Amino acid sequence: MSSSKLIRGTFILTLGTIISKMLGLFYVIPFTRIVGYQGTLLYQYSYIPYTIFISIATAGIPLAVSKFIAKYNAMEEYAVGRKLFKSGLVVMMCSGIVAFLILYFTAPLLSTGRDLPAEDITSVIRAVSFALIIVPFMSMIRGFFQGHQSMGPSAVSQVVEQIVRIVFVIAGAYIILKFLDGNTVDAVRAATFAAFIGAVGGLIVLGWYWVKRKPGLDELLEKDKGTVDISLKEMYKEILIYAAPFVLVGIANPLFQFIDQITFERAMVSIGFSKGDAGDAFSILNFQSHKLVIIPVALATAFSLTLVPSITKAFVENDRKSLNSQLNQTFQVLLFLTLPAAAGLSLLAEPFYTVFYGHLDLGTEVLRMYAPVAILFALYSVTAAILQGINEQKWTVLSLLTGLLVKLALNIPLIKLFETDGAILATTLGYVAAIAINLVVIKIFSKYKFRLVVRRSLLIVIFGGLMLAAAAGVYKLLTGFLSPASELQSLILILVSALAGGIVYFYLSFKTRLIYFLFGDKVDRLLGKLKLRA
């Protein structure tokens, strides 16, 4: 596979993921206004366990399958990949049905001890569980296409799945409440069932691609050498070894949220909050604010993870110089992209929250505190991926378990001390513990020295501080005659303040040539295209 084709394929898949994530953010604006805070709380109660189940059932499968198929395709053993694909579809369909049945029948257990009636939570968990039947099956097809260096089917199906889901979420909830005289529970039940409808949409797209590409794939089968006969047991062993670390990375964030789901309200009620107020605070933390916080994470992680294959290559070839260079670039790109986004979101928390959900003091406070944690979310994902690249993925288990134990041990005491901010602090400490273990393992096994990254990070932090100062000055000036309690005026505040901060940040990056150290000749190519268009 040529380098240009690899870059193009990675770009297509990354773009599809980013578009899907962005769509997943913006639908919450109308959805929150349709179902209210109680509705989003109910929605979140169902989605956290669903996300854990779907991550276990599918995380890493497309990557593992694509790696396996690509490996044997390179040897011209095309029949091996087709054999895996045929049996894998059956296995993933069965695993999806099993996951669906487990979530469906354990829903009552997951619904107890909450602010809302257990039967309401049970019904929405059961509504979302149907998606588990299709999504694992779909992940197998995506992995098969990716193994043939065809990223378009995965990217397009992801976006279509998200669009279909969002249309059903918003239209379903609105029609039930406005025209069918339904209640909030009915509307949220329809919104969670949308995960199944979206999956059907994504599967139809993949089916269309399969029909279109099958003649070409069959031609490859005719060129099969037929010299390798690998058993299904050996196939799945190889797949599971590769997929396991991605499962852990995929479920890390939902597990941290799940700890909040089982402890947050009880701790808040114990210090004098009503169940209703505790439930609203939980919804603000784990649904409204979280949706905004993960956007810089998705962007930075997508860019940084494109460097991981070259890290793997350098490690396997024992090219220490190249490995150090790749690790330096990965960490710096991550911080360069995430820090200004997280800091800006924290500074502009009030207008951001107003634009998405309406003006609320508690929402502003939670988002302001929570936004910087985005840097840790991104750093955990990337360090875990690097462990995969240097073949030390087993340490991901230890780091995640340590982080979760820290969160679980500190969550209730810190909530009792600092209320909602305590849950954010416990998450921060849990992620810091997990990342620290990952970094120590990277240092030991790759013999990587952090000196350059520390120096550059200090420079990025200084630039970030100057960016914040510029944005804060413009924001203070604008709030003299614009109100962050107004949605339209908040949008103006965000755009103008962010532009001011962005100009300062990128001016300093160009002036010191930091941006060239990180992105190389890609910067000149981008500037050239912009000049041509101008």
Side-chain angles (χ1 to χ4, degrees):
M1 184 183 185
S2 69
S3 174
S4 62
K5 194 174 178 185
L6 175 65
I7 292 167
R8 181 176 170 271
T10 305
F11 174 76
I12 289 169
L13 203 54
T14 301
L15 185 64
T17 303
I18 290 172
I19 291 170
S20 181
K21 293 279 186 189
M22 294 300 284
L23 288 169
L25 168 67
F26 287 107
Y27 88 91
V28 302
I29 301 174
F31 181 65
T32 303
R33 283 157 175 74
I34 292 168
V35 300
Y37 283 100
Q38 288 291 297
T40 59
L41 176 60
L42 187 57
Y43 185 85
Q44 188 66 357
Y45 279 148
S46 70
Y47 246 81
I48 290 174
Y50 165 74
T51 306
I52 293 170
F53 270 77
I54 207 71
S55 296
I56 293 170
T58 66
I61 293 299
L63 283 167
V65 170
S66 67
K67 182 183 178 183
F68 182 93
I69 290 173
K71 173 183 168 183
Y72 287 97
N73 280 1
M75 297 159 59
E76 295 184 3
E77 297 290 348
Y78 302 105
V80 174
R82 187 66 70 93
K83 181 181 177 182
L84 170 70
F85 180 59
K86 285 180 177 177
S87 76
L89 287 177
V90 176
V91 170
M92 295 308 285
M93 185 180 286
C94 293
S95 72
I97 291 168
V98 169
F100 156 69
L101 291 171
I102 293 171
L103 185 57
Y104 189 91
F105 288 108
T106 58
L109 292 174
L110 298 168
S111 306
T112 56
R114 307 281 179 266
D115 170 40
L116 301 172
E119 60 270 21
D120 293 347
I121 301 171
T122 299
S123 70
V124 294
I125 291 176
R126 285 179 167 171
V128 79
S129 68
F130 284 92
L132 288 165
I133 299 170
I134 298 179
V135 176
F137 179 83
M138 193 161 56
S139 71
M140 187 74 196
I141 303 172
R142 284 172 176 160
F144 180 76
F145 279 121
Q146 287 169 220
H148 287 82
Q149 287 86 51
S150 180
M151 307 300 175
S154 290
V156 175
S157 66
Q158 269 184 359
V159 174
V160 169
E161 179 186 358
Q162 190 73 294
I163 290 170
V164 171
R165 184 180 78 85
I166 289 166
V167 168
F168 195 89
V169 165
I170 296 167
Y174 186 80
I175 289 167
I176 284 169
L177 287 174
K178 301 297 179 183
F179 298 107
L180 300 181
D181 202 27
N183 56 29
T184 302
V185 177
D186 297 326
V188 175
R189 194 185 297 123
T192 52
F193 186 70
F196 175 81
I197 303 297
V200 171
L203 190 59
I204 289 169
V205 170
L206 290 171
W208 179 80
Y209 271 109
W210 172 255
V211 171
K212 190 179 173 186
R213 304 274 173 90
K214 192 173 185 297
L217 294 167
D218 288 343
E219 281 177 23
L220 288 178
L221 270 183
E222 292 171 10
K223 300 173 186 175
D224 180 60
K225 283 185 176 179
T227 57
V228 173
D229 184 25
I230 182 168
S231 69
L232 288 174
K233 182 182 177 182
E234 289 171 320
M235 281 185 188
Y236 287 114
K237 184 181 177 184
E238 192 172 335
I239 293 291
L240 289 172
I241 287 169
Y242 189 72
F246 288 98
V247 173
L248 292 171
V249 175
I251 64 172
N253 212 270
L255 285 174
F256 273 83
Q257 288 186 295
F258 186 69
I259 290 171
D260 279 330
Q261 185 166 315
I262 59 176
T263 59
F264 184 87
E265 288 180 40
R266 191 166 74 245
M268 291 286 276
V269 169
S270 73
I271 55 173
F273 282 82
S274 70
K275 280 194 169 185
D277 287 343
D280 286 347
F282 175 78
S283 179
I284 288 165
L285 172 64
N286 266 350
F287 182 76
Q288 279 95 357
S289 295
H290 189 76
K291 283 282 185 185
L292 292 167
V293 167
I294 59 171
I295 290 302
V297 179
L299 182 64
T301 308
F303 273 99
S304 299
L305 290 185
T306 59
L307 299 168
V308 172
S310 52
I311 290 171
T312 307
K313 183 174 182 290
F315 181 78
V316 170
E317 294 173 355
N318 201 27
D319 184 350
R320 294 293 167 189
K321 185 179 178 183
S322 178
L323 180 63
N324 277 330
S325 173
Q326 297 293 344
L327 289 173
N328 281 335
Q329 192 177 9
T330 300
F331 287 124
Q332 290 172 71
V333 167
L334 178 74
L335 190 62
F336 183 81
L337 294 170
T338 313
L339 186 138
L345 183 60
S346 182
L347 173 71
L348 304 173
E350 188 172 7
F352 260 111
Y353 199 90
T354 299
V355 167
F356 279 86
Y357 309 110
H359 191 256
L360 189 71
D361 289 340
L362 179 60
T364 298
E365 181 196 335
V366 170
L367 182 57
R368 183 167 287 132
M369 286 291 293
Y370 198 17
V373 187
I375 299 168
L376 298 178
F377 292 161
L379 193 54
Y380 174 77
S381 296
V382 170
T383 52
I386 291 169
L387 290 182
Q388 171 79 23
I390 63 172
N391 204 29
E392 293 296 336
Q393 54 267 29
K394 59 182 178 288
W395 292 98
T396 314
V397 181
L398 175 66
S399 68
L400 177 59
L401 287 176
T402 303
L404 290 171
L405 283 170
V406 170
K407 168 73 172 172
L408 191 60
L410 297 178
N411 211 42
I412 291 174
L414 289 176
I415 290 169
K416 287 180 177 180
L417 282 172
F418 305 112
E419 300 173 7
T420 309
D421 289 347
I424 297 170
L425 183 55
T427 296
T428 302
L429 295 171
Y431 268 95
V432 166
I435 292 163
I437 291 171
N438 288 353
L439 290 174
V440 168
V441 173
I442 290 167
K443 181 175 175 58
I444 291 170
F445 289 97
S446 70
K447 297 184 172 55
Y448 173 67
K449 294 178 174 61
F450 286 90
R451 284 195 297 268
L452 178 62
V453 163
V454 170
R455 287 203 308 271
R456 289 270 176 81
S457 297
L458 185 60
L459 187 63
I460 291 169
V461 168
I462 291 168
F463 289 175
L466 294 169
M467 176 206 77
L468 270 185
V474 171
Y475 180 69
K476 189 170 179 60
L477 189 68
L478 290 173
T479 49
F481 55 91
L482 292 175
S483 170
S486 159
E487 290 174 24
L488 181 60
Q489 291 176 39
S490 287
L491 189 59
I492 297 167
L493 284 167
I494 292 167
L495 292 173
V496 178
S497 302
L499 180 64
I503 288 170
V504 170
Y505 190 71
F506 284 101
Y507 173 78
L508 292 169
S509 302
F510 275 104
K511 198 72 176 170
T512 58
R513 298 192 65 78
L514 173 65
I515 200 163
Y516 288 96
F517 292 131
L518 300 185
F519 300 101
D521 59 357
K522 296 185 189 76
V523 178
D524 286 325
R525 287 205 301 270
L526 179 62
L527 288 174
K529 287 178 182 177
L530 291 174
K531 284 174 185 173
L532 283 172
R533 284 175 188 170

